[in-house]
Structure formats: C-alpha cells, structure tokens
Amino acid sequence: MSSKVSSSNNISQARRTVQQLRIEASIERIKVSKASADLMHYCGEHAKYDPLLMGIPASENPFKDKKPCTIL
Amino acid sequence: MCDQTFLAISFGPCDKCVKTKPLMNIYIKTDQFNYCSLCVEMMANEGLRDNETLSSLKNESETLKCKLEEERAKLHDVELHQVADRVDALGQFVMKTRRTLKGHGNKVLCMDWCKDKRRLVSSSQDGKVIVWDAFTTNKEHAVTMPCTWVMACAYAPSGCAIACGGLDNKCSVYPLTFDKNENMAAKKKSVAMHTNYLSACSFTNSDMQILTASGDGTCALWDVESGQLLQSFHGHAADVLCLDLAPSETGNTFVSGGCDKKAMVWDLRSGQCIQSFETHDSDINSVRYYPSGDAFASASDDATCRLYDLRADREVAIYSKESIIFGASSVDFSLSGRLLFTGYNDYTINVWDVLKGTRVSILFGHENRVSTLRVSPDGTAFCSGSWDHTLRV
C-alpha cells in the first residue's frame, strides 16, 4: 500500500487498528482441547471416505496406468 | 472513517471545500469521494475525542494486543498432537505420479481442479492457460493471455468458464466452448481491476462472483456479469498472496495470507476482518481451509506450515523439520483432513499427519520448485505444478 500518505493518516490508521483490535479481543473463543477434539472427530468420521488415506483398489483407480490389451 | 483504496492522483475541485487541488480518490463505506488532502486530514482529526492523540492510540493498541495474547493463551490448555496421541498412527504411504502433464513452455504458476474431478486448468509464466483432462492427459483448451506471469487461475463451479490473471492487474473470465471455430480469446471478459498484480482468484459458490487478491494489498469481490466491485477488503499491510473460501456449509468467510506475515479471516458480506493471525516469520504463500471449515493451514517462506483453529483463535500446530530450510509454496488437505500435502521450493512435496504433526512421506519427482498443489474434489488424487514446466497427478 502507498506509504506516502501514511504520515498524514497515522491517526486514522491508529484508530482503525484500535477498533480492529477491540473487535478481535471481544470474539468468543473455545479451549484448544475442545477444538482439537473436534478436529480429530472430523478426521475420524471422514477418514473412511478419503481415498488418499485409505487407498483405492486398482480396479477403481481412474488414474491407474492402462496396460495395452492383448488379443488372445 | 476514511478508507483509502485506490490512490489515483487527479487534479480538480474537491468535493468538500470546492477548491481546486490535487485530489485523493477515497471510499467511505463504498461511496466514492474526491477530497483534497487537507480535507482528508481535517476529517481524520475531526472524529477524535479530546484525549485521543496518536500516542494514546498507539498505547491502547499495544495494550489491546497484549490482552489479545493473554486471552488466547488462557485457552491454550493442551497441544493438538497431545490430544492426537490417542489416534492410530498412519501406515506408510506409497504415492506415485500417475500422470505427467507436459505442454507448458515455462514455469507452471497455478492450477485448479474442475468439479467434475477430471479436468484441471493451469497457468504459467509464458502467458498460457491450458485446460487438461487429467485422465487422458489431453489438452482441451488453451488460451494465450496478453500478459506473462499468470499467477492465478480458477475453474468455475459449473465447469463452463475459467478465470485467470497476473501481471495485467486484472482478472479475466473466459467461457469454455467446444466449438472449434470459436476463438476463446474473443469472448474474454475483464472482471477485476486492481492497481497491482493479481496473485489469486477464486469463484464463490456460483459462476457469478469472483474473489480476487492482489499485490496492492487488497482483496475484492466482483460480479462477473457487470464487472462491478461488490466488496473490498482492506487490512493487509503488504501484498496479498493467496486466498481460500470457506467450505460452503460453514458460511461466508474467506482467509487471505500476505507478505506482511499475517493471515486474515474476512466476512464476505461486511468486508470486515474477523480474525487475524501473525505467527509466521515470513511471507505466507498459500492458505487452505480445513474441510470442516473450523481451521485453516498456511504455508510460508519460513519453511513451516501452521494450522490455525478459528474457534480457538490461535495456532494449534506447526509442521516443520530442521532439515527443511526451503520455503513452502503451497498447501492442501486431503478429503478427510487427516493428511496435509505441502509443496516446497526444494522440489519436494511433504505429506504431514495433520493431527500428530509428523511427516508421513516425501514425494520426489519435480525438477524444480513446486509452485502449486491441489487435491482433486473427490480426493482420489492431487495435482502439483512446478517450475519445471510440468504438472504431476
């Protein structure tokens, strides 16, 4: 951002910073233990749907290399 | 309060004092005014109460910052990896490159998947934007942009259009057409106008709105049809390098990361910054929301990736190793959020266990730094783009 006018806007910038910090200080927070537990829960629930985690059988893998067909 | 967005110096009559002076084009609550600098200064001082001076405001901001830290620290009762001890460790992973997409003439800078899980769009330094079919490695569309360093590209949710931008300071939307006779460049629509390079863009849930991040320090939400600015987001002190929208169920927010080492979470409708996180030591190159929307990860030039939880309002995990000294350029989660894929400037991709904080696997293969990385929408694969001109799936 332009720094030319920052000197004349120091006051307005400082006011804005203070207002922003006031907003941030007043938000509701939860404990890290609860947040971590929720993250783990989400992982556990969705792990079975995660192909990169579980691996996909080769028959379903759309990206597997196709071998050339042989004519019997 | 005055909000300064695009600083265009023009000369003319001031809207307030009617004198002819050099004007500043400023926005107050989305209305545009042209005021001379004297009036701006006076307005800035007008709103102050008697005892508010610059130094008192600075003091207050310092105390508020300390208070914020204290509040955050109070709730920091346990580390994520301690809680995750109960979870089983992941086995060894073997991931192979299944497809190599060659065709770009220069460094690949950005890529995005289509919702149909097979197409992807990628952009590169030579100005080319190519749409590939990842299953067959065919190129379906190719557009040449008039500028080089196309640093941002995005696929529309419907799959009918792509958006890209870079050094031309704007974001252009190209509708995708399969008609061989049509020239795609002719249908281009310029949507965003910034005063510096475009670093990231993303469609919101519909084809009609685009969110952009730019080197001028702002993010902006645009309407595609009319090209009108719907909302602008100010707060970063330096270039904004990346952004990511919250997964649709959890609402109208997005996170942006910039060269000022801050990651900020914004409300799309009000333009207000809701939270900000400043624990990185260097520029944040990439941010990505956790699939549940309650957390996000960021990758930075300080060679670490960090996980921030939005509800606990703090950083909950750092993914780093002594042996990693090169900056991380891009990050993405697997579908369940258990794995974190990060691309680094030392040509490797590291896979981390999100909960335990340990590295699960390293992937080699690129011959130059990995610049972008995205997991496909159904989670079956991920694509990485690199400065070695190729993309690997």
Side-chain angles (χ1 to χ4, degrees):
Chain A
M1 297 273 263
S2 159
S3 57
K4 267 189 306 176
V5 286
S6 63
S7 50
S8 58
N9 280 354
N10 257 346
I11 292 188
S12 51
Q13 267 193 348
R15 278 190 76 194
R16 228 175 318 155
T17 321
V18 167
Q19 274 170 352
Q20 180 63 34
L21 286 170
R22 278 194 198 131
I23 294 174
E24 285 183 23
S26 58
I27 60 175
E28 291 215 355
R29 290 179 198 87
I30 64 174
K31 279 188 180 283
V32 174
S33 50
K34 168 103 178 35
S36 320
D38 284 346
L39 285 175
M40 272 176 46
H41 183 71
Y42 187 91
C43 272
E45 280 217 354
H46 289 81
K48 47 187 179 297
Y49 303 117
D50 188 348
L52 285 168
L53 196 62
M54 297 282 116
I56 3 178
S59 51
E60 286 174 13
N61 187 354
F63 288 106
K64 77 168 191 291
D65 307 312
K66 294 182 179 23
K67 294 200 174 46
C69 301
T70 51
I71 314 254
L72 294 166
Chain B
M1 259 325 297
C2 306
D3 226 334
Q4 208 158 267
T5 59
F6 310 105
L7 194 67
I9 303 291
S10 57
F11 202 76
C14 166
D15 281 348
K16 194 171 170 94
C17 64
V18 200
K19 294 192 198 142
T20 311
K21 282 186 174 186
L23 297 178
M24 297 198 324
N25 182 311
I26 61 172
Y27 284 78
I28 301 181
K29 288 193 193 308
T30 74
D31 293 326
Q32 192 176 319
F33 294 103
N34 280 318
Y35 287 153
C36 67
S37 47
L38 185 62
C39 289
V40 171
E41 181 76 32
M42 285 178 20
M43 280 175 63
N45 284 320
E46 251 170 42
L48 289 179
R49 292 186 288 261
D50 282 322
N51 54 354
E52 269 186 13
T53 61
L54 186 60
S55 48
S56 77
L57 283 172
K58 281 210 169 119
N59 285 340
E60 200 182 338
S61 74
E62 288 304 313
T63 45
L64 277 172
K65 274 190 203 156
C66 288
K67 183 160 165 252
L68 203 59
E69 279 310 309
E70 274 173 32
E71 291 286 323
R72 282 177 174 168
K74 261 192 243 170
L75 295 168
H76 186 202
D77 47 353
V78 75
E79 296 279 346
L80 177 62
H81 59 85
Q82 289 167 334
V83 178
D85 267 343
R86 291 188 271 134
V87 179
D88 297 329
L90 297 170
Q92 276 300 320
F93 278 90
V94 177
M95 282 183 222
K96 293 199 298 185
T97 304
R98 298 282 179 193
R99 298 281 188 275
T100 306
L101 303 173
K102 295 192 210 222
H104 274 293
N106 212 322
K107 313 179 171 69
V108 176
L109 298 173
C110 181
M111 56 97 26
D112 191 17
W113 286 90
C114 178
K115 291 261 185 324
D116 69 357
K117 311 154 208 161
R118 66 184 281 173
R119 291 197 179 74
L120 50 98
V121 62
S122 62
S123 65
S124 85
Q125 188 198 332
D126 60 0
K128 285 237 177 5
V129 178
I130 304 184
V131 178
W132 312 79
D133 179 333
F135 291 176
T136 61
T137 76
N138 286 339
K139 301 183 195 37
E140 296 199 342
H141 300 91
V143 183
T144 306
M145 293 273 289
C147 67
T148 57
W149 285 91
V150 188
M151 287 176 265
C153 62
Y155 224 114
S158 65
C160 295
I162 53 172
C164 45
L167 285 184
D168 56 351
N169 298 358
K170 35 189 195 190
C171 186
S172 314
V173 177
Y174 292 88
L176 294 174
T177 165
F178 279 99
D179 191 346
K180 290 269 187 304
N181 297 331
E182 291 230 40
N183 181 7
M184 269 182 69
K187 292 240 161 175
K188 162 175 133 165
K189 195 183 298 192
S190 272
V191 172
M193 289 290 288
H194 278 283
T195 50
N196 209 332
Y197 65 90
L198 197 83
S199 53
C201 67
S202 173
F203 282 87
T204 58
N205 287 334
S206 74
D207 273 14
M208 289 293 103
Q209 294 184 348
I210 287 195
L211 192 58
T212 57
S214 163
D216 62 10
T218 68
C219 301
L221 181 67
W222 309 84
D223 177 85
V224 173
E225 269 309 308
S226 60
Q228 197 178 11
L229 174 69
L230 297 171
Q231 186 65 258
S232 68
F233 306 91
H234 300 260
H236 276 287
D239 303 12
V240 185
L241 291 180
C242 49
L243 58 83
D244 189 35
L245 280 150
S248 43
E249 310 91 49
T250 49
N252 301 316
T253 59
F254 74 95
V255 61
S256 65
C259 288
D260 55 355
K261 312 174 199 164
K262 280 208 274 202
M264 301 176 90
V265 182
W266 308 84
D267 179 320
L268 272 170
R269 280 171 299 193
S270 68
Q272 181 79 28
C273 169
I274 312 175
Q275 288 168 285
S276 77
F277 303 90
E278 196 170 354
T279 59
H280 270 291
D281 299 319
S282 184
D283 307 350
I284 299 183
N285 291 319
S286 169
V287 287
R288 192 71 66 205
Y289 264 97
Y290 190 79
S292 70
D294 288 330
F296 69 92
S298 60
S300 157
D301 276 341
D302 63 2
T304 66
C305 295
R306 294 167 199 242
L307 184 70
Y308 296 91
D309 189 295
L310 292 171
R311 290 176 309 158
D313 192 36
R314 58 172 297 121
E315 170 191 299
V316 292
I318 307 185
Y319 306 102
S320 68
K321 262 183 143 51
E322 293 259 333
S323 52
I324 304 179
I325 51 171
F326 283 85
S329 62
S330 51
V331 69
D332 203 356
F333 285 98
S334 70
L335 202 63
S336 66
R338 184 69 196 270
L339 297 174
L340 186 69
F341 298 94
T342 43
Y344 288 82
N345 294 342
D346 62 356
Y347 315 175
T348 65
I349 299 176
N350 286 341
V351 187
W352 303 86
D353 179 336
V354 171
L355 299 176
K356 291 193 184 291
T358 55
R359 181 168 63 188
V360 167
S361 156
I362 318 182
L363 303 171
F364 300 94
H366 276 295
E367 289 147 22
N368 206 324
R369 60 161 84 172
V370 180
S371 52
T372 174
L373 194 156
R374 289 282 259 260
V375 173
S376 76
D378 61 350
T380 50
F382 72 91
C383 177
S384 60
S386 156
W387 281 18
D388 66 359
H389 313 345
T390 67
L391 294 120
R392 283 169 191 259
V393 179

